[in-house]
Structure formats: C-alpha cells, structure tokens
Amino acid sequence: MAPDLSPRPDRPSPADPTPPVSAIDPAMVPVIAPAIDPAISVVIPMRNEGPNVLPLIDEIAQALAGQAFEIVCVDDGSTDDTRDRLLDAAARHPVVVLRHAASCGQSAGVVSGVLAARAPWIATLDGDGQNDPADIPALWRRAQAEGAADLLVAGHRVSRKDSGVKRVTSRMANAIRARLLGDATPDTGCGLKVFPRALFLELPRFDHMHRYLPALVLRAGGRVVSEPVNHRPRLRGQSNYGTLDRLAVSISDMLGVIWLQRRWKRPVAERVSPPPAG
C-alpha cells in the first residue's frame, strides 16, 4: 500500500526528498534579524547571484517603501560572493541572510526562507533580477482584497524576455501541466507569487515543488488566481538552469504531483453539537 502523503503540521511528508531545514544545514543561521514585525516577507533563493544582490534588494526596498517588510535571502551554497553581497545589503535594509552549506535547489531555498519568515504574507521571486519587484504590491493588494487565507496569487509573465527556446518550452510545459494537473494557471514557472505563510506550511515538500505550487494549493482546497507581471532580461550573471535538465526532471515531478492529487481526498468536517437539554 502506498504511503499517505497528506501534509502534517509537525513534520514534512514521509516521502519528502527534501530533509528538514535543520538537516539541510545545521550551521544555517540568520545573520541579520530585523526588529520590527513585518507585514510581508519577501523570500528569495539565490545561487551564484552576487552581481544581482544589491540592485535587486534596493528595488524591493523601494517597491515596499512605507510598508513593514523583511527580505529573507537564502544563499543556496553559492561559490561566488553572494553571501558577502547579502551581508552588505543587510547593513542597509531589513534583510535576513540564511545559507545552505551545500546547494539543495530552489525549492529547498523557498522552504528555508518561508520557515524563517515572520510575516503572515509571503512574496517569492527569483534572484536573477528578471522578476520586477515593482509588481509585488499589486499581487499583495489582490491577495488582501480577496480576503482569503487559502489564496495564492501567481504572476503571469505576459511578455517574457527569454530566449526563443525557453519561451517555446515554457509554453509547452505550462500547457501540459494545465492539462494533466488542472491547475488553471497560465505561468506556473513564474517565480513571483504571493500567498499566506500558513497556507504554504500545509503543503507537501519535495524538490522542484516551487514549480507546482498552484496545483498543490488546489489540492489543499485553496484557490489560485493570476496577475500579469513584468518580465525583464537577465542583465547580470548566468542562469542556473538548462532547458534539457529541467525537462528531464519535470516528467517524474509531474507524475508525482498527479499521484499526490489522486491519493488525497479533502474532507469536509462539520462540528456536531449535542441537542439542547430538556
């Protein structure tokens, strides 16, 4: 009998290939911790993005000026000066710096960042500077306007600034995902998303889960909406992903998410009260 992978609040899923954060890196500790309780935490996994750190964090701070926010950056085992640049940024902005001793992947970075975040709302974006931080307030306003604790607002890169091969393969992948998973999301690969922290913590965790957040939220009984966002060309550094390696893992990942969907039935529980005395 296959194991039940329904999420548990006290631990990750038993089939979860991503170990707990303490097992990922016992030495991973916050370097800078802002004192003011934030209303939103911006989580950014980074690997070898040294040249992008300061410009990106400056943009986020400008986009969220006037708000109580924190930026949680997870250095996923970088071999360049990413950590040093993050410490420079932490001297100027409310930045929490975490570091994985070895690279564990983007999803592990998101998980580590959300676990360390203190705000009830989470915004995620990629560390390469292609997501525009100026879009975060619009997605956050949409999430707050909906007034739902089970809502994920996903960015939709209407005009992508990637190579032709990336654009074509991404459209194909999104179409296949939408057909097989029923996630009704035109751009699940967009790193810019806003959602309640509590909602994310209920989801099963596995490598590459960040690409399937809409399907996982729907599986948990939540809702997903999309908002058009800006997309920019990469100006600094090099991509950490290739087209073929991403395609190779996507097939097994998708099969795993399909299995998760079929192995979980959302219960509808109603409180039963005893009849009045007499």
Side-chain angles (χ1 to χ4, degrees), residues 66-146:
Q67 304 290 336
F69 70 93
E70 68 176 358
I71 305 171
V72 183
C73 296
V74 182
D75 177 6
D76 186 38
S78 295
T79 56
D80 67 350
D81 64 347
T82 294
R83 181 180 181 277
D84 293 336
R85 300 290 75 78
L86 288 172
L87 293 178
D88 291 341
R92 297 156 50 177
H93 300 295
V95 176
V96 174
V97 182
L98 307 178
R99 176 173 172 80
H100 291 168
S103 177
C104 298
Q106 186 169 345
S107 286
V110 172
V111 170
S112 296
V114 174
L115 287 173
R118 296 180 298 137
W121 288 100
I122 301 292
T124 62
L125 72 163
D126 295 335
D128 56 14
Q130 290 193 259
N131 297 136
D132 190 345
D135 287 317
I136 295 175
L139 269 65
W140 190 21
R141 284 194 299 269
R142 174 75 184 271
Q144 292 174 308
E146 297 280 347

Side-chain angles (χ1 to χ4, degrees), residues 40-45 56 59-61 63-64 70-71 106 110 114 121-143 151-160 162 174 185-196 200 209-214 217 224-232 241 246:
I40 186 169
S41 298
V42 182
V43 173
I44 316 171
L56 180 59
E59 283 189 284
I60 295 171
L64 294 175
E70 68 176 358
I71 305 171
Q106 186 169 345
V110 172
V114 174
W121 288 100
I122 301 292
T124 62
L125 72 163
D126 295 335
D128 56 14
Q130 290 193 259
N131 297 136
D132 190 345
D135 287 317
I136 295 175
L139 269 65
W140 190 21
R141 284 194 299 269
R142 174 75 184 271
L151 179 70
L152 179 144
V153 182
H156 177 196
R157 298 166 292 183
V158 179
S159 179
R160 292 191 59 172
D162 286 322
N174 280 315
T185 304
D187 189 9
T188 61
C190 180
L192 185 52
K193 296 180 175 70
V194 173
F195 47 83
F200 181 89
M209 69 169 289
H210 67 282
R211 299 187 184 282
Y212 299 92
L213 286 180
V217 167
V224 178
V225 297
S226 295
E227 280 281 322
V229 296
N230 187 28
H231 191 242
R232 310 182 294 191
Y241 295 101
R246 194 168 355 192

